[in-house]
Amino acid sequence: RDRAMRGTRLRLEVGEGLPTSDGAVVRLPERVTLHELRDDNYRWLKTALTHQLGCYEFGTFDFQRGESYIAFEDQFRTYEQPMLAESLFSICEAARVDWQLARRYRGAAVDFENVKKFALEARDVTGLSKRRQLLEAMVWCSLDAVSGQPYSFLDPDLHNLVIELVDIMQYLKLPDATVQTSMDVMASCYAIVSISLKAHGATPGD
């Protein structure tokens, strides 16, 4: 067992694909081969683990409505497009946790910066639907892309929408931002994405 940064007892297991956590278990890949150098792969894995522990440190799994805790899926099902709500929340919450970690643990900030830069350079933005363009722009924002640089792949009629989305995401950088903040930001982004795409004649799958 491992102890997270705030003292919570967690179980560390080997998993497939990207590092994940379900609120009780952190799963990490057995091997990382993203980089040629072993040290670079180690830093990537260490940063990925720090992010997963940050979900506990900054209360990702403490989401609740009123006096009772509620599963994320139950909340997403209250939306007309649950999968869109889930995707937006995942982007927002990952961004919030990383920004909070970089603020609190200055020593990890450089590693996060390098990992984000690598992730940004590896993303494929060719042939994206309008929906995916909007979500991709939010991902680029979460990876601290230079303003203006990442949005060259956008259809011209989506630029103003992305400005709105990026502005809303800035609330996730506030020192007191919580998982509820991520849920609220997701709701605002959901309204922009779903309503605006309908106005552009796009279908839910676009």
Side-chain angles (χ1 to χ4, degrees), residues 24-75:
V25 179
V26 174
R27 295 178 178 84
L28 299 175
E30 186 171 9
R31 296 187 62 190
V32 176
T33 57
L34 294 172
H35 301 277
E36 292 184 5
L37 298 180
R38 179 178 180 181
D39 286 349
D40 290 337
N41 286 316
Y42 170 75
R43 276 190 288 270
W44 183 94
L45 185 61
K46 181 179 70 173
T47 303
L49 174 59
T50 301
H51 173 84
Q52 296 304 320
L53 296 181
C55 292
Y56 298 89
E57 178 80 357
F58 297 104
T60 294
F61 302 105
D62 295 340
F63 177 67
Q64 64 183 103
R65 287 291 192 189
E67 298 299 323
S68 62
Y69 287 86
I70 182 172
F72 291 121
E73 292 76 10
D74 293 339
Q75 180 66 18

Side-chain angles (χ1 to χ4, degrees), residues 183-198:
M183 196 62 76
D184 293 341
V185 168
M186 177 276 288
S188 298
C189 292
Y190 178 95
I192 293 173
V193 173
S194 60
I195 294 175
S196 298
L197 289 184
K198 286 181 181 179

